[in-house]
Amino acid sequence: MTSSTQDERWGARLWGALTVLCAVVFLDALDVSMVGVALPSIQADLGMSTSSLQWVVSGYVLGYGGLLLLGGRTATCSAAAGSS
């Protein structure tokens, strides 16, 4: 067995990170799907046109993505402050 074969194996920490990332991607897709399921109710209750519903989806995804970026930046800054 060579050392390159040993380096190709994944450790438990790497598998854990992969599991967390897969869960995050799944929950993100599920969250956007829930908005899609709610669109007919939004359209009926608020009397919106189909083109206006696209703005609802775009605004939701843009806000969600912005908050994800803010949360990631906050975690990075707090980790950097804790390690100093």
Side-chain angles (χ1 to χ4, degrees):
M1 193 179 274
T2 63
S3 64
S4 64
T5 306
Q6 186 68 15
D7 293 339
E8 292 176 9
R9 295 179 53 183
W10 286 19
R13 186 173 182 179
L14 195 55
W15 277 109
L18 180 64
T19 303
V20 168
L21 286 175
C22 288
V24 167
V25 169
F26 172 75
L27 290 175
D28 184 34
L30 183 67
D31 196 39
V32 173
S33 300
M34 288 189 299
V35 173
V37 169
L39 285 177
S41 298
I42 293 170
Q43 184 177 24
D45 291 345
L46 300 177
M48 298 178 83
S49 66
T50 306
S51 61
S52 297
L53 289 177
Q54 182 60 45
W55 282 102
V56 171
V57 173
S58 297
Y60 180 79
V61 171
L62 184 64
Y64 187 76
L67 289 174
L68 281 175
L69 288 171
L70 180 64
R73 181 66 179 159
T74 304
T76 301
C77 289
S78 65
S83 66
S84 296

Coordinates of all heavy atoms in Angstrom, one line a residue:
M1 N 0.8 -1.2 0.0 CA 0.0 0.0 0.0 C 0.9 1.2 0.0 O 1.8 1.4 0.8 CB -0.9 0.0 1.2 CG -2.0 1.0 1.2 SD -3.1 1.0 2.6 CE -4.2 -0.3 2.1
T2 N 0.6 2.1 -0.9 CA 1.4 3.3 -1.0 C 0.8 4.5 -0.2 O -0.4 4.4 0.2 CB 1.5 3.8 -2.4 OG1 0.3 4.1 -2.9 CG2 2.2 2.7 -3.3
S3 N 1.5 5.5 0.0 CA 1.0 6.7 0.8 C -0.1 7.4 0.0 O -0.9 8.0 0.6 CB 2.1 7.6 1.2 OG 2.7 8.2 0.0
S4 N 0.0 7.4 -1.3 CA -1.1 8.1 -2.1 C -2.4 7.4 -1.9 O -3.4 8.1 -1.9 CB -0.7 8.2 -3.6 OG -0.6 6.9 -4.1
T5 N -2.5 6.1 -1.8 CA -3.7 5.4 -1.5 C -4.3 5.8 -0.1 O -5.5 6.0 0.0 CB -3.5 3.9 -1.6 OG1 -2.9 3.5 -2.8 CG2 -4.8 3.2 -1.4
Q6 N -3.4 5.9 0.8 CA -3.8 6.3 2.2 C -4.4 7.7 2.2 O -5.3 8.0 2.9 CB -2.7 6.2 3.1 CG -3.0 6.5 4.6 CD -3.9 5.3 5.1 OE1 -4.0 4.3 4.6 NE2 -4.5 5.6 6.3
D7 N -3.8 8.6 1.3 CA -4.3 10.0 1.3 C -5.7 10.1 0.6 O -6.4 11.1 0.9 CB -3.3 10.9 0.5 CG -2.0 11.0 1.3 OD1 -2.0 10.8 2.5 OD2 -1.0 11.3 0.7
E8 N -6.0 9.2 -0.2 CA -7.3 9.3 -0.9 C -8.5 8.9 -0.1 O -9.6 9.1 -0.5 CB -7.2 8.4 -2.2 CG -6.3 8.9 -3.2 CD -6.2 8.0 -4.4 OE1 -7.0 7.0 -4.5 OE2 -5.3 8.2 -5.2
R9 N -8.3 8.3 1.1 CA -9.4 7.9 1.9 C -10.0 9.1 2.7 O -9.2 10.0 3.0 CB -8.9 6.8 2.9 CG -8.5 5.6 2.2 CD -8.1 4.5 3.2 NE -9.0 4.4 4.3 CZ -8.8 3.5 5.3 NH1 -7.7 2.9 5.4 NH2 -9.7 3.4 6.2
W10 N -11.2 9.1 2.9 CA -11.9 10.2 3.5 C -12.0 9.9 5.0 O -12.4 8.8 5.4 CB -13.3 10.4 3.0 CG -13.3 11.1 1.6 CD1 -12.3 11.2 0.7 CD2 -14.4 11.8 1.1 NE1 -12.7 11.9 -0.4 CE2 -14.0 12.2 -0.2 CE3 -15.7 12.0 1.5 CZ2 -14.8 13.0 -1.0 CZ3 -16.5 12.7 0.6 CH2 -16.1 13.2 -0.6
G11 N -11.7 10.9 5.8 CA -11.9 10.7 7.3 C -13.3 11.0 7.7 O -14.1 11.4 7.0
A12 N -13.5 10.8 9.0 CA -14.9 11.0 9.6 C -15.3 12.5 9.5 O -16.4 12.8 9.3 CB -14.9 10.5 11.0
R13 N -14.3 13.3 9.7 CA -14.6 14.8 9.7 C -15.0 15.2 8.3 O -16.0 16.0 8.1 CB -13.4 15.5 10.1 CG -13.6 17.0 10.3 CD -12.4 17.7 10.9 NE -12.7 19.1 11.1 CZ -11.9 19.9 11.6 NH1 -10.7 19.5 12.0 NH2 -12.2 21.2 11.7
L14 N -14.4 14.7 7.2 CA -14.8 15.0 5.9 C -16.2 14.5 5.5 O -17.0 15.2 4.9 CB -13.7 14.5 4.9 CG -13.7 15.1 3.5 CD1 -13.7 16.6 3.5 CD2 -12.6 14.5 2.7
W15 N -16.4 13.3 6.0 CA -17.8 12.7 5.7 C -18.8 13.5 6.5 O -19.9 13.7 6.0 CB -17.9 11.2 6.2 CG -17.3 10.3 5.2 CD1 -16.2 9.6 5.2 CD2 -17.9 10.0 3.9 NE1 -16.0 8.8 4.1 CE2 -17.1 9.0 3.3 CE3 -19.1 10.4 3.3 CZ2 -17.4 8.5 2.0 CZ3 -19.4 9.8 2.0 CH2 -18.6 8.9 1.4
G16 N -18.5 14.0 7.7 CA -19.5 14.8 8.4 C -19.8 16.1 7.7 O -20.9 16.6 7.6
A17 N -18.7 16.7 7.2 CA -18.9 18.0 6.4 C -19.7 17.8 5.2 O -20.6 18.6 4.8 CB -17.5 18.6 6.1
L18 N -19.5 16.7 4.5 CA -20.3 16.3 3.3 C -21.7 16.1 3.7 O -22.7 16.6 2.9 CB -19.7 15.1 2.6 CG -20.4 14.7 1.3 CD1 -20.4 15.7 0.3 CD2 -19.9 13.3 0.8
T19 N -22.0 15.4 4.8 CA -23.4 15.2 5.2 C -24.1 16.5 5.5 O -25.2 16.7 5.2 CB -23.4 14.3 6.4 OG1 -22.7 13.1 6.1 CG2 -24.8 14.0 6.9
V20 N -23.4 17.4 6.2 CA -24.0 18.7 6.6 C -24.3 19.5 5.3 O -25.4 20.1 5.2 CB -23.1 19.5 7.5 CG1 -23.5 20.9 7.7 CG2 -23.0 18.8 8.9
L21 N -23.4 19.5 4.3 CA -23.6 20.2 3.1 C -24.7 19.7 2.3 O -25.5 20.4 1.7 CB -22.3 20.2 2.3 CG -21.2 21.1 2.7 CD1 -19.9 21.0 1.9 CD2 -21.6 22.6 2.7
C22 N -24.9 18.4 2.3 CA -26.0 17.7 1.5 C -27.3 18.1 2.2 O -28.3 18.4 1.5 CB -25.8 16.2 1.5 SG -24.5 15.7 0.3
A23 N -27.3 18.1 3.5 CA -28.5 18.5 4.3 C -28.9 19.9 4.0 O -30.1 20.3 3.8 CB -28.4 18.2 5.8
V24 N -27.9 20.8 4.0 CA -28.2 22.2 3.7 C -28.8 22.4 2.3 O -29.7 23.2 2.1 CB -26.9 23.1 3.9 CG1 -27.0 24.5 3.3 CG2 -26.5 23.1 5.4
V25 N -28.2 21.8 1.3 CA -28.7 21.9 -0.1 C -30.1 21.4 -0.2 O -31.0 22.0 -0.8 CB -27.8 21.2 -1.1 CG1 -28.4 21.0 -2.4 CG2 -26.5 21.9 -1.1
F26 N -30.4 20.2 0.5 CA -31.8 19.7 0.5 C -32.8 20.6 1.2 O -33.8 20.9 0.6 CB -31.8 18.3 1.3 CG -33.1 17.8 1.5 CD1 -33.8 17.2 0.4 CD2 -33.7 17.8 2.7 CE1 -35.1 16.7 0.6 CE2 -35.0 17.3 2.9 CZ -35.7 16.8 1.8
L27 N -32.4 21.2 2.3 CA -33.3 22.1 3.0 C -33.5 23.4 2.2 O -34.6 24.0 2.2 CB -32.8 22.4 4.4 CG -32.9 21.2 5.4 CD1 -32.2 21.6 6.7 CD2 -34.3 20.8 5.6
D28 N -32.5 23.9 1.5 CA -32.6 25.1 0.7 C -33.6 24.8 -0.4 O -34.5 25.6 -0.7 CB -31.3 25.4 0.1 CG -31.3 26.7 -0.7 OD1 -32.1 27.6 -0.3 OD2 -30.5 26.8 -1.6
A29 N -33.5 23.7 -1.1 CA -34.4 23.3 -2.2 C -35.8 23.1 -1.6 O -36.8 23.5 -2.3 CB -34.0 22.1 -2.9
L30 N -35.9 22.5 -0.5 CA -37.3 22.3 0.2 C -37.9 23.7 0.5 O -39.1 23.9 0.3 CB -37.1 21.5 1.4 CG -38.4 21.1 2.1 CD1 -39.2 20.1 1.3 CD2 -38.0 20.4 3.5
D31 N -37.1 24.6 1.0 CA -37.6 25.9 1.4 C -38.2 26.7 0.2 O -39.2 27.2 0.2 CB -36.5 26.7 2.1 CG -37.0 27.9 2.8 OD1 -38.1 27.7 3.5 OD2 -36.3 28.9 2.8
V32 N -37.4 26.6 -0.9 CA -37.9 27.3 -2.1 C -39.1 26.6 -2.7 O -40.0 27.2 -3.2 CB -36.8 27.4 -3.2 CG1 -37.2 28.0 -4.5 CG2 -35.6 28.3 -2.6
S33 N -39.2 25.3 -2.6 CA -40.3 24.5 -3.0 C -41.6 24.9 -2.3 O -42.7 24.9 -2.8 CB -40.1 23.0 -2.9 OG -39.0 22.6 -3.6
M34 N -41.4 25.2 -1.0 CA -42.6 25.5 -0.2 C -43.2 26.9 -0.7 O -44.4 27.1 -0.6 CB -42.2 25.6 1.3 CG -42.0 24.3 1.9 SD -41.8 24.3 3.7 CE -40.4 25.3 3.9
V35 N -42.3 27.8 -1.1 CA -42.8 29.0 -1.7 C -43.6 28.7 -2.9 O -44.7 29.3 -3.2 CB -41.7 30.0 -1.9 CG1 -42.2 31.2 -2.7 CG2 -41.0 30.4 -0.6
G36 N -43.1 27.8 -3.8 CA -43.8 27.4 -5.0 C -45.2 26.8 -4.7 O -46.2 27.1 -5.4
V37 N -45.3 26.0 -3.6 CA -46.6 25.4 -3.3 C -47.5 26.5 -2.8 O -48.8 26.4 -3.0 CB -46.3 24.3 -2.2 CG1 -47.6 23.9 -1.6 CG2 -45.6 23.2 -2.8
A38 N -47.0 27.5 -2.1 CA -47.9 28.6 -1.6 C -48.3 29.6 -2.6 O -49.2 30.4 -2.3 CB -47.2 29.3 -0.4
L39 N -47.8 29.6 -3.8 CA -48.1 30.6 -4.8 C -49.5 30.7 -5.2 O -50.1 31.8 -5.3 CB -47.2 30.4 -6.0 CG -45.7 30.9 -5.9 CD1 -45.0 30.6 -7.1 CD2 -45.6 32.3 -5.5
P40 N -50.2 29.6 -5.4 CA -51.7 29.7 -5.7 C -52.5 30.4 -4.6 O -53.4 31.2 -4.9 CB -52.1 28.2 -5.9 CG -50.9 27.5 -6.3 CD -49.8 28.2 -5.5
S41 N -52.2 30.1 -3.4 CA -52.9 30.8 -2.3 C -52.5 32.2 -2.2 O -53.4 33.1 -2.0 CB -52.5 30.1 -0.9 OG -52.9 28.8 -0.9
I42 N -51.3 32.6 -2.5 CA -50.9 34.0 -2.5 C -51.6 34.7 -3.6 O -52.1 35.8 -3.4 CB -49.4 34.1 -2.6 CG1 -48.7 33.6 -1.4 CG2 -48.9 35.5 -2.9 CD1 -47.2 33.4 -1.6
Q43 N -51.7 34.1 -4.8 CA -52.3 34.7 -5.9 C -53.8 34.9 -5.7 O -54.4 36.0 -6.0 CB -52.1 33.8 -7.2 CG -52.7 34.4 -8.4 CD -52.4 33.6 -9.7 OE1 -52.2 32.4 -9.6 NE2 -52.4 34.2 -10.8
A44 N -54.5 33.9 -5.1 CA -55.9 34.0 -4.8 C -56.2 35.1 -3.7 O -57.1 35.9 -3.8 CB -56.5 32.7 -4.4
D45 N -55.4 35.0 -2.6 CA -55.7 35.9 -1.5 C -55.4 37.4 -1.8 O -56.1 38.3 -1.4 CB -54.9 35.5 -0.3 CG -55.4 34.2 0.3 OD1 -56.5 33.8 -0.1 OD2 -54.7 33.6 1.1
L46 N -54.3 37.6 -2.6 CA -53.9 39.0 -2.8 C -54.3 39.5 -4.2 O -54.0 40.7 -4.5 CB -52.4 39.1 -2.7 CG -51.8 38.8 -1.3 CD1 -50.3 38.8 -1.3 CD2 -52.4 39.7 -0.2
G47 N -54.8 38.6 -5.0 CA -55.3 39.0 -6.4 C -54.1 39.4 -7.3 O -54.2 40.4 -8.0
M48 N -53.0 38.7 -7.2 CA -51.8 39.0 -8.0 C -51.9 38.4 -9.3 O -52.4 37.3 -9.5 CB -50.6 38.6 -7.2 CG -50.4 39.3 -5.9 SD -49.0 38.7 -5.0 CE -47.7 39.7 -5.8
S49 N -51.2 39.0 -10.3 CA -51.1 38.4 -11.6 C -49.9 37.3 -11.6 O -49.1 37.3 -10.7 CB -50.8 39.4 -12.7 OG -49.5 40.0 -12.4
T50 N -49.8 36.6 -12.7 CA -48.8 35.6 -12.7 C -47.4 36.2 -12.8 O -46.4 35.7 -12.2 CB -49.0 34.7 -14.0 OG1 -50.3 34.2 -14.0 CG2 -48.0 33.6 -14.0
S51 N -47.3 37.3 -13.5 CA -46.0 38.0 -13.5 C -45.6 38.6 -12.1 O -44.4 38.6 -11.8 CB -46.0 39.1 -14.6 OG -46.9 40.1 -14.3
S52 N -46.5 39.0 -11.4 CA -46.3 39.5 -10.0 C -45.8 38.4 -9.1 O -45.0 38.6 -8.2 CB -47.5 40.1 -9.4 OG -47.9 41.3 -10.2
L53 N -46.3 37.2 -9.3 CA -45.8 36.0 -8.5 C -44.4 35.7 -8.7 O -43.7 35.3 -7.8 CB -46.7 34.8 -8.9 CG -48.1 34.8 -8.4 CD1 -48.8 33.6 -8.9 CD2 -48.2 35.0 -6.9
Q54 N -43.9 36.0 -9.9 CA -42.4 35.8 -10.2 C -41.6 36.7 -9.3 O -40.5 36.4 -8.8 CB -42.1 36.0 -11.6 CG -40.6 35.8 -12.0 CD -40.2 34.4 -11.6 OE1 -40.9 33.4 -12.0 NE2 -39.0 34.2 -11.0
W55 N -42.1 37.9 -9.1 CA -41.4 38.9 -8.2 C -41.4 38.4 -6.8 O -40.5 38.6 -6.0 CB -42.1 40.3 -8.3 CG -41.7 41.0 -9.5 CD1 -42.5 41.2 -10.6 CD2 -40.5 41.7 -9.7 NE1 -41.8 41.9 -11.5 CE2 -40.5 42.2 -11.0 CE3 -39.3 41.8 -9.0 CZ2 -39.5 42.9 -11.6 CZ3 -38.3 42.6 -9.6 CH2 -38.3 43.1 -10.8
V56 N -42.5 37.7 -6.4 CA -42.6 37.2 -5.0 C -41.5 36.1 -4.8 O -40.7 36.1 -3.8 CB -44.0 36.6 -4.7 CG1 -44.0 35.8 -3.4 CG2 -45.0 37.6 -4.7
V57 N -41.4 35.2 -5.8 CA -40.3 34.2 -5.7 C -38.9 34.8 -5.8 O -38.1 34.4 -5.0 CB -40.5 33.1 -6.9 CG1 -39.4 32.1 -6.9 CG2 -41.9 32.4 -6.7
S58 N -38.7 35.7 -6.7 CA -37.4 36.3 -6.8 C -37.0 37.1 -5.5 O -35.9 37.0 -5.1 CB -37.4 37.3 -8.0 OG -37.6 36.6 -9.2
G59 N -38.0 37.8 -5.0 CA -37.7 38.5 -3.7 C -37.4 37.6 -2.6 O -36.5 37.9 -1.8
Y60 N -38.1 36.5 -2.5 CA -37.9 35.6 -1.4 C -36.5 34.9 -1.5 O -35.7 34.8 -0.5 CB -39.0 34.5 -1.4 CG -38.8 33.5 -0.3 CD1 -39.2 33.8 1.0 CD2 -38.2 32.2 -0.6 CE1 -39.0 32.9 2.0 CE2 -38.0 31.3 0.5 CZ -38.4 31.7 1.7 OH -38.2 30.8 2.7
V61 N -36.2 34.5 -2.7 CA -34.9 33.8 -2.9 C -33.7 34.8 -2.7 O -32.7 34.4 -2.1 CB -34.8 33.1 -4.3 CG1 -33.4 32.6 -4.7 CG2 -35.8 32.0 -4.4
L62 N -33.9 36.0 -3.2 CA -32.8 37.0 -3.0 C -32.6 37.3 -1.5 O -31.5 37.4 -1.0 CB -33.2 38.3 -3.8 CG -32.2 39.4 -3.8 CD1 -30.9 38.9 -4.5 CD2 -32.7 40.6 -4.4
G63 N -33.7 37.5 -0.8 CA -33.6 37.8 0.7 C -33.0 36.6 1.4 O -32.2 36.7 2.3
Y64 N -33.4 35.4 1.0 CA -32.9 34.2 1.7 C -31.4 34.0 1.4 O -30.6 33.7 2.3 CB -33.7 33.0 1.1 CG -33.4 31.6 1.8 CD1 -33.9 31.3 3.0 CD2 -32.5 30.7 1.1 CE1 -33.6 30.1 3.6 CE2 -32.3 29.5 1.7 CZ -32.8 29.2 3.0 OH -32.5 28.0 3.6
G65 N -31.0 34.2 0.2 CA -29.6 34.2 -0.2 C -28.8 35.2 0.5 O -27.6 35.0 1.0
G66 N -29.3 36.4 0.6 CA -28.6 37.5 1.3 C -28.4 37.2 2.8 O -27.3 37.4 3.4
L67 N -29.4 36.6 3.4 CA -29.3 36.2 4.8 C -28.3 35.1 5.0 O -27.6 35.0 6.0 CB -30.7 35.9 5.4 CG -31.6 37.1 5.6 CD1 -33.0 36.7 6.1 CD2 -31.0 38.1 6.6
L68 N -28.3 34.2 4.1 CA -27.3 33.1 4.1 C -25.9 33.7 4.1 O -25.0 33.2 4.8 CB -27.5 32.1 3.0 CG -28.6 31.1 3.2 CD1 -28.7 30.2 1.9 CD2 -28.3 30.2 4.4
L69 N -25.6 34.6 3.2 CA -24.3 35.3 3.1 C -24.0 36.0 4.4 O -22.8 35.9 4.9 CB -24.3 36.2 1.9 CG -24.2 35.6 0.5 CD1 -24.4 36.6 -0.5 CD2 -23.0 34.8 0.3
L70 N -24.9 36.7 4.9 CA -24.7 37.4 6.2 C -24.4 36.5 7.3 O -23.5 36.7 8.1 CB -25.9 38.3 6.5 CG -25.9 39.1 7.8 CD1 -24.8 40.1 7.7 CD2 -27.2 39.7 8.1
G71 N -25.1 35.4 7.4 CA -24.9 34.4 8.4 C -23.5 33.7 8.3 O -22.8 33.5 9.3
G72 N -23.1 33.4 7.0 CA -21.8 32.9 6.8 C -20.7 33.9 7.2 O -19.7 33.5 7.8
R73 N -20.9 35.1 6.8 CA -19.8 36.1 7.2 C -19.8 36.3 8.7 O -18.7 36.5 9.2 CB -20.2 37.4 6.5 CG -19.3 38.6 6.7 CD -17.9 38.3 6.2 NE -17.0 39.4 6.4 CZ -15.7 39.3 6.4 NH1 -15.1 38.2 6.1 NH2 -15.0 40.4 6.7
T74 N -20.9 36.3 9.4 CA -20.9 36.5 10.8 C -20.2 35.3 11.5 O -19.5 35.5 12.4 CB -22.4 36.6 11.3 OG1 -23.0 37.7 10.6 CG2 -22.5 36.8 12.8
A75 N -20.5 34.1 11.0 CA -19.8 32.9 11.6 C -18.3 33.0 11.3 O -17.5 32.6 12.2 CB -20.3 31.7 10.9
T76 N -17.9 33.5 10.2 CA -16.4 33.6 9.9 C -15.8 34.6 10.8 O -14.7 34.4 11.4 CB -16.2 34.0 8.4 OG1 -16.8 33.0 7.6 CG2 -14.7 34.1 8.1
C77 N -16.5 35.7 11.0 CA -15.9 36.8 11.8 C -15.9 36.4 13.3 O -14.9 36.7 14.0 CB -16.7 38.1 11.7 SG -16.5 38.9 10.1
S78 N -16.9 35.7 13.8 CA -16.9 35.3 15.1 C -15.9 34.1 15.4 O -15.3 34.1 16.5 CB -18.3 34.8 15.6 OG -18.7 33.6 14.9
A79 N -15.6 33.3 14.4 CA -14.6 32.3 14.5 C -13.2 32.9 14.6 O -12.4 32.4 15.3 CB -14.7 31.2 13.4
A80 N -13.0 33.9 13.7 CA -11.7 34.6 13.7 C -11.5 35.3 15.0 O -10.3 35.4 15.5 CB -11.7 35.5 12.5
A81 N -12.5 35.9 15.5 CA -12.3 36.6 16.8 C -12.1 35.7 18.0 O -11.3 36.0 18.9 CB -13.6 37.5 17.1
G82 N -12.7 34.5 17.9 CA -12.5 33.5 19.0 C -11.1 32.9 18.9 O -10.6 32.4 20.0
S83 N -10.5 32.8 17.8 CA -9.2 32.1 17.7 C -8.1 33.0 18.0 O -7.0 32.6 18.2 CB -9.0 31.5 16.3 OG -9.0 32.6 15.3
S84 N -8.3 34.3 18.1 CA -7.2 35.3 18.3 C -6.9 35.4 19.8 O -7.7 35.3 20.7 CB -7.6 36.7 17.8 OG -7.7 36.6 16.4

